[in-house]
Amino acid sequence: MSSTQKEAGKDIVNDFCITFATVNGSGSQTANITILRALFKMGIPISGKNKFPSNIQGLPTWYSIRVSKDGYLGRLEEDDILICMNPASFEKDLAFINPGGVLFYPDDFKHPINRDDIITYPMPVKALAKEADVSPALRDYIANMVYVGMLAKMLGIDMTAILEALDFQFKGKQKAIDSNYIVAKSAYEWAAANLEKKDRYVVKRMKPLDGYIMTDGNTAGALGSIFGGVQFVAWYPITPASTLPEALIEYLPQFRKDPETGKNTYAVVQAEDELASIGMVIGAGFGGLRAMTATSGPGLSLMTEYAGLAYYAEVPSVIWDVQRVGPSTGLPTRTAQSDMMMAYTLGHGDTQHILLIPGSVTECFEFGWKSFDLAERLQTLVFVMTDLDFGMNQWMTKNFEYPDQPLDRGKILWEADLERLDGVWGRYVDVDGDAIPYRTLPGNLDPRSAYMARGTGHDNHAQYSEDPEVWEANMDRLIRKYNIARSLVPGPIIEQEGSVKWALITYGSSDPAVQEARAKLKADGKKFNYLRLRAVPFCDDVKNFIASHDTVYVVENNRDGQMNQILQMAYPQFAGKLVSIAHNDGLPLSAKWIMRTIMAQEAK
């Protein structure tokens, strides 16, 4: 785009995508997060997505920032502004810039720029980094701050916000703050003296984002678990789940020490593998502790037998599944919603599990504490189904709403309770008709409290049994308990446009893209009602919603339409209404793809 064209058009304010193309291990994350947080401090809605390799240092990595005055935080398919710091990916990255877009690149790159429909800005990266007052070993890392200063000048990012972002990033360590800020400021001043702005992209301060914070879903889930009273954590490292227990390790010492003794009121164990970690969690749950683990698809596969044990022996416990792309090792550092069917029925035999599905980072916090209440109320295993996009990426999200109710420990009998019962108690007896029995915990001094938590066939008193009628009665009770969970799990979020024939259903991290697609389809005259699932099993609101529409598109980030299959199993009478809109290439869904796919379906 020429400067004449630029003058003819209007500025594009707070509505574009910036992508940083760098090298894994180059230290670019500090610079990228600085830009992200500075924009947030200017009151501009943003989200950041990191696409990084799973194997070795030195391979290409990309970080994209969505800037949206309208609050749309889903992925865009093309770049408006590209900062290319990696010569190896230069040619490929160039193709993703929208016409009229912008390229920033180091002035020592010798690659030809074979596009005349974009604006280019060379950057004296090496020269400015060499001037920095840091050791030569740090120059390659601090060089990334050159593009921070250049962007600040050319887009209008407040340097005060840059400084505040650096202060947050380095937690007040003045030397690190100063060395990075000086390089950014030098680049800002160089751009002011040497570059003429020819592009249309600018940022302007908006109203402060009061009531919002910046964080990732794994950190939110860890904090929610802490406020939910987690006492025991066992885990084995796996991408993209590892940062959740790592956040627990960071924050638990701050919140969970006995004020009188100074001793920890929790335990975190890094196990030798996933089998050991889930075994420890089930054991801790049987012992009365609020216990959890965090894993991803391959780890979940290894936990299958223990998941069945927790279901059948009715042991409260929580598994966070931060999903990635499978099958097998798959793409460890890419996102998907492809474990839904596996988690739903994890375990051999007739098994159905409770799934909580946060649709925002705020809900990652909320479901962190609610998962324990549900696990203990229902005496079962509860899965929290999130993914890499929520788990490891930075999101602007609403402030956390801390628990406003006491912990729900469920039906527990202590010595006085057993005394009132005059010893008439059985571990698996359905006393109240709600399919949920009473349990005792280790530490109960009444000798009548002891029982064997069997994974083998057992009767109502936990005694071994192979009686067909006893087996069938117990399994019937377990499915009744599962159905009762429908009234206890979080209900769906429903948004109605009135009496329209078409509807959209989605869940989890696909929500931002679906919401944007829905708004743009509405602007084009195509209205859709909307339902976001937050849990399995489904409540009657889900059934009624499907029943009231002619066509319901189920949008999800996997190949096989796994949630669509679960819905069809739950409501076979509505199978003809449900249309799968499923896609997975390792990236979050985009509104553009959703719109394109739905319109293609409508044209049939």
Side-chain angles (χ1 to χ4, degrees):
M1 181 184 297
S2 68
S3 57
T4 303
Q5 288 175 303
K6 188 261 175 182
E7 291 168 3
K10 295 181 179 180
D11 284 345
I12 300 172
V13 182
N14 298 346
D15 189 16
F16 48 84
C17 175
I18 312 171
T19 291
F20 307 90
T22 58
V23 175
N24 192 36
S26 65
S28 59
Q29 193 73 342
T30 297
N32 302 339
I33 295 297
T34 297
I35 292 289
L36 182 81
R37 197 166 288 278
L39 292 167
F40 176 72
K41 288 180 178 293
M42 292 178 66
I44 305 168
I46 43 84
S47 65
K49 298 188 186 301
N50 193 19
K51 188 169 75 170
F52 58 101
S54 61
N55 40 21
I56 60 173
Q57 183 171 322
L59 291 180
T61 184
W62 297 267
Y63 190 89
S64 295
I65 297 176
R66 175 80 186 268
V67 181
S68 173
K69 64 182 186 300
D70 299 316
Y72 295 132
L73 304 181
R75 181 178 70 90
L76 292 175
E77 294 182 1
E78 292 88 20
D79 304 319
D80 297 303
I81 300 170
L82 173 69
I83 294 84
C84 189
M85 299 290 286
N86 184 6
S89 64
F90 188 89
E91 185 176 346
K92 182 178 179 181
D93 293 334
L94 204 60
F96 280 90
I97 305 176
N98 278 319
V102 184
L103 169 67
F104 289 84
Y105 65 100
D107 59 6
D108 63 322
F109 277 17
K110 305 303 181 185
H111 298 72
I113 301 173
N114 55 3
R115 292 188 59 175
D116 58 6
D117 60 344
I118 61 173
I119 306 298
T120 60
Y121 296 124
M123 304 181 294
V125 175
K126 287 186 176 179
L128 292 176
K130 191 174 181 180
E131 295 174 4
D133 185 22
V134 296
S135 69
L138 294 177
R139 282 179 188 163
D140 287 345
Y141 295 98
I142 209 164
N144 296 300
M145 298 307 296
V146 171
Y147 64 72
V148 172
M150 297 281 289
L151 271 179
K153 170 56 186 171
M154 302 308 288
L155 294 182
I157 302 173
D158 193 330
M159 286 299 287
T160 301
I162 295 289
L163 184 58
E164 291 173 351
L166 287 169
D167 182 63
F168 184 93
Q169 178 74 15
F170 291 107
K171 297 179 171 61
K173 296 176 182 176
Q174 200 59 48
K175 185 175 180 180
I177 295 168
D178 291 343
S179 60
N180 281 272
Y181 183 72
I182 287 170
V183 174
K185 186 177 180 183
S186 296
Y188 182 99
E189 292 170 349
W190 185 93
N194 293 278
L195 294 181
E196 175 191 357
K197 185 171 177 65
K198 297 179 180 179
D199 66 275
R200 298 165 55 194
Y201 299 101
V202 295
V203 297
K204 293 183 179 179
R205 278 191 177 271
M206 297 175 64
K207 290 180 6 181
L209 290 165
D210 295 333
Y212 285 85
I213 58 173
M214 285 291 304
T215 191
D216 61 84
N218 283 354
T219 299
L223 289 169
S225 300
I226 291 170
F227 281 86
V230 65
Q231 295 165 295
F232 182 82
V233 182
W235 67 296
Y236 184 76
I238 184 170
T239 302
S242 292
T243 56
L244 199 159
E246 286 168 359
L248 284 165
I249 292 168
E250 178 182 356
Y251 289 109
L252 276 167
Q254 300 178 37
F255 296 106
R256 298 295 297 282
K257 285 185 180 292
D258 186 291
E260 295 182 3
T261 66
K263 293 183 177 181
N264 294 334
T265 59
Y266 64 90
V268 180
V269 179
Q270 182 175 326
E272 61 266 34
D273 54 33
E274 286 89 353
L275 287 128
S277 65
I278 188 61
M280 294 178 190
V281 167
I282 302 302
F286 170 71
L289 301 181
R290 291 198 151 192
M292 64 172 283
T293 188
T295 191
S296 194
L300 199 63
S301 297
L302 295 172
M303 297 179 180
T304 302
E305 186 174 0
Y306 271 115
L309 173 63
Y311 173 82
Y312 186 63
E314 300 180 70
V315 179
S317 42
V318 172
I319 297 177
W320 279 75
D321 180 10
V322 188
Q323 297 166 89
R324 68 190 205 184
V325 178
S328 188
T329 305
L331 301 175
T333 59
R334 299 291 187 267
T335 196
Q337 295 173 312
S338 55
D339 295 348
M340 305 306 294
M341 285 291 291
M342 177 170 68
Y344 176 54
T345 60
L346 193 66
H348 55 278
D350 296 318
T351 308
Q352 288 177 295
H353 294 293
I354 293 167
L355 313 182
L356 300 186
I357 315 169
S360 67
V361 169
T362 304
E363 284 188 346
C364 288
F365 176 88
E366 178 186 346
F367 293 177
W369 62 266
K370 282 186 174 177
S371 60
F372 288 117
D373 281 0
L374 283 166
E376 293 205 295
R377 167 55 55 187
L378 292 162
Q379 297 174 33
T380 195
L381 176 61
V382 171
F383 290 86
V384 184
M385 305 297 292
T386 179
D387 56 32
L388 182 147
D389 190 22
F390 270 166
M392 293 190 70
N393 285 328
Q394 291 286 318
W395 290 83
M396 181 190 84
T397 193
K398 291 181 180 179
N399 286 342
F400 300 151
E401 295 184 7
Y402 296 98
D404 56 358
Q405 58 199 58
L407 303 184
D408 185 350
R409 299 305 310 274
K411 296 181 174 183
I412 299 175
L413 299 176
W414 292 103
E415 291 88 343
D417 302 310
L418 290 172
E419 193 65 35
R420 284 196 299 272
L421 293 172
D422 195 24
V424 180
W425 172 70
R427 169 63 181 97
Y428 298 112
V429 175
D430 181 10
V431 176
D432 301 320
D434 61 0
I436 304 172
Y438 286 83
R439 62 181 175 133
T440 58
L441 301 179
N444 188 320
L445 299 178
D446 192 313
R448 295 168 293 185
S449 68
Y451 67 94
M452 177 71 74
R454 294 184 181 276
T456 51
H458 53 254
D459 64 15
N460 286 344
H461 292 269
Q463 300 299 310
Y464 181 73
S465 173
E466 295 185 7
D467 184 295
E469 293 183 1
V470 170
W471 173 266
E472 192 167 26
N474 197 34
M475 292 298 289
D476 287 347
R477 180 181 60 79
L478 288 174
I479 198 62
R480 283 195 295 114
K481 182 173 75 168
Y482 183 81
N483 288 328
I484 284 170
R486 300 177 195 279
S487 64
L488 299 176
V489 299
I493 302 298
I494 298 175
E495 298 175 11
Q496 302 275 17
E497 289 286 353
S499 181
V500 298
K501 297 179 179 179
W502 304 278
L504 300 169
I505 289 179
T506 197
Y507 59 95
S509 65
S510 294
D511 174 67
V514 176
Q515 288 279 28
E516 181 178 0
R518 178 174 174 244
K520 291 182 176 180
L521 286 166
K522 181 181 178 181
D524 291 339
K526 189 77 171 178
K527 292 183 179 181
F528 288 83
N529 287 334
Y530 179 67
L531 182 146
R532 174 166 66 84
L533 296 166
R534 298 200 297 163
V536 179
F538 311 120
C539 65
D540 284 345
D541 287 345
V542 178
K543 179 177 70 174
N544 296 337
F545 181 85
I546 297 171
S548 63
H549 296 90
D550 292 348
T551 303
V552 180
Y553 294 105
V554 184
V555 185
E556 51 189 315
N557 194 355
N558 54 59
R559 186 193 68 180
D560 295 338
Q562 294 184 24
M563 185 60 75
N564 186 59
Q565 293 180 51
I566 296 172
L567 285 165
Q568 288 182 333
M569 287 190 291
Y571 309 118
Q573 69 272 34
F574 299 139
K577 294 173 176 278
L578 297 166
V579 179
S580 178
I581 300 292
H583 176 65
N584 180 249
D585 57 2
L587 302 174
L589 297 182
S590 70
K592 188 174 182 179
W593 178 86
I594 295 167
M595 293 172 64
R596 190 165 60 237
T597 306
I598 288 176
M599 295 314 295
Q601 285 283 345
E602 288 291 306
K604 289 182 178 180

